[in-house]
Amino acid sequence: MADEIARATGRAIAYRPLPPDEFTAHAVRQGVPEEFAGLLNMLYGWIAENRFATLADGVQRVLGREPRDFGDYARTVAASGVWGGGGGVERR
């Protein structure tokens, strides 16, 4: 996801995983309630274990449309300007 957003925005973005205790401490410093940070850690752990690796039709059933490619989503959002000002993709 970081690579797709970096390409879409023209910015250098890197993903740096944190151990669960460091993530919780950082999240709490940013105002996230500790219980919620713990829940996020649990969900991230499940993702790391590939618990959700199977494809399903949940997006289509809930939204009534085909799922979008994340790269397409990132380009659309970047073009809107919400990830960095000026109303469009910023280039390096």
Side-chain angles (χ1 to χ4, degrees):
M1 291 172 46
D3 289 344
E4 291 286 353
I5 295 169
R7 275 192 291 279
T9 61
R11 293 180 170 178
I13 299 173
Y15 169 71
R16 183 174 61 96
L18 293 175
D21 58 333
E22 285 184 41
F23 171 81
T24 299
H26 176 75
V28 169
R29 284 193 304 273
Q30 300 303 311
V32 174
E34 191 165 351
E35 302 80 33
F36 188 67
L39 174 62
L40 289 173
N41 270 327
M42 181 177 67
L43 293 172
Y44 295 152
W46 289 348
I47 291 168
E49 294 170 359
N50 288 320
R51 286 195 185 193
F52 307 112
T54 351
L55 292 178
D57 64 350
V59 169
Q60 185 173 358
R61 286 186 297 125
V62 171
L63 300 179
R65 63 168 175 78
E66 291 291 321
R68 293 172 59 184
D69 177 80
F70 185 79
D72 293 340
Y73 166 79
R75 286 185 293 280
T76 299
V77 174
S80 77
V82 300
W83 283 340
V89 176
E90 296 179 17
R91 300 286 176 209
R92 291 182 222 178

